[in-house]
Amino acid sequence: MLVSPSLLSANFANLSSDIEKINQSEADYLHLDVMDGVFVPNISFGFPVIEAVSEICKKPLDVHLMIVEPQKWIERLKDCGAEIMNVHLEACLHLDRTVNAIHEAGMKAGVTLNPATPVSLLEDIIEQLDLVLLMSVNPGFGGQKFIQNTIKKVKELRNLIEKTNSKALIEVDGGVNENTGKLLAEAGADILVAGNYVFKSENILERIHILKMIS
Ligand code: DX5
Ligand code: ZN
């Protein structure tokens, strides 16, 4: 299993210590949650923080933009050192244009779906995507309860990816732990995002290892 710990649950007063642990861990990415207080009812952090994290983090940055008009920030995010730019389908009026612009900027393009957004809306874009991020909680906060309907959506997305020969990876975000992680793996998920499960633990490296071992 690929693992992308979410920095949202880290200690913001001592980010460098938590990032050092991520560097030493088996994590495959570092997940960064940007919130604008408009698309979601919360504000997290923005580009100066991503830039600072990028300077010390050895893992590729998997950036999840919970913001309106994400297309305005493609170049800015590229300059911050992001590897993957995830935009919400619900925030993009011209999704095809935005995905093309992300690729032109040299990043991998991910499209994120809220829990109530059906997988079928990806039919006409799936072949162009590097990743689909399925939200298994309503975005905006860490530490929420996993929405079980996500399992069905992962299976539907796996079928769509196989049918279209898309190379897109399936990433799931929200309420992930060793139990929900197993169900997601069985359903066909490739990447697990985990905030609370990893950073609110005494042993960050062990929690990442447990998720990593899920097959
Ligand atoms: C929620 C964020 C998540 C969050 C997950 O809006 O997108 O990445 O950090 O946190 P947990 O794993 O605690 O549910
Ligand atoms: Zn996220």
Side-chain angles (χ1 to χ4, degrees):
M1 180 57 69
L2 298 169
V3 180
S4 189
S6 165
L7 196 72
L8 193 63
S9 299
N11 178 2
F12 282 15
N14 198 357
L15 278 184
S16 59
S17 156
D18 279 350
I19 291 167
E20 193 42 50
K21 286 183 189 138
I22 297 300
N23 285 343
Q24 291 162 12
S25 78
E26 296 166 82
D28 299 280
Y29 307 91
L30 180 65
H31 186 85
L32 298 175
D33 290 296
V34 178
M35 304 179 188
D36 66 355
V38 179
F39 184 74
V40 287
N42 198 5
I43 296 177
S44 56
F45 51 79
F47 301 116
V49 173
I50 300 177
E51 257 166 357
V53 168
S54 171
E55 279 169 24
I56 57 170
C57 184
K58 298 197 173 94
K59 308 286 181 177
L61 301 184
D62 162 32
V63 181
H64 175 196
L65 296 175
M66 285 162 274
I67 64 172
V68 296
E69 303 188 302
Q71 74 281 357
K72 286 185 177 170
W73 306 105
I74 294 171
E75 284 303 324
R76 182 74 182 93
L77 192 64
K78 172 65 189 172
D79 291 344
C80 288
E83 163 114 353
I84 305 170
M85 176 167 175
N86 287 295
V87 296
H88 268 262
L89 178 141
E90 304 86 2
C92 294
L93 203 50
H94 302 288
L95 187 59
D96 177 85
R97 179 183 284 152
T98 300
V99 165
N100 288 335
I102 293 170
H103 282 147
E104 277 159 26
M107 291 181 287
K108 290 186 176 147
V111 169
T112 309
L113 302 187
N114 277 336
T117 304
V119 166
S120 58
L121 290 185
L122 293 171
E123 276 172 16
D124 292 310
I125 193 86
I126 191 72
E127 288 170 66
Q128 291 160 249
L129 301 183
D130 301 292
L131 187 150
V132 175
L133 176 57
L134 294 179
M135 291 310 300
S136 41
V137 296
N138 287 296
F141 305 92
Q144 301 183 83
K145 192 170 174 288
F146 182 81
I147 296 172
Q148 287 293 335
N149 187 55
T150 314
I151 302 294
K152 184 196 86 177
K153 289 176 76 176
V154 172
K155 289 179 186 162
E156 285 171 8
L157 180 55
R158 178 54 61 206
N159 285 339
L160 179 63
I161 286 171
E162 276 170 18
K163 200 172 75 187
T164 54
N165 271 326
S166 163
K167 63 179 179 315
L169 295 174
I170 302 178
E171 180 173 27
V172 185
D173 184 5
V176 170
N177 56 37
E178 63 215 70
N179 300 320
T180 53
K182 267 187 205 124
L183 299 174
L184 290 166
E186 282 163 18
D190 299 298
I191 309 175
L192 298 177
V193 176
N196 264 33
Y197 179 73
V198 168
F199 285 104
K200 301 294 185 208
S201 136
E202 292 291 305
N203 195 335
I204 291 176
L205 272 71
E206 187 184 66
R207 286 285 167 97
I208 291 172
H209 179 71
I210 291 170
L211 295 179
K212 194 70 198 149
M213 287 301 105
I214 296 176
S215 54

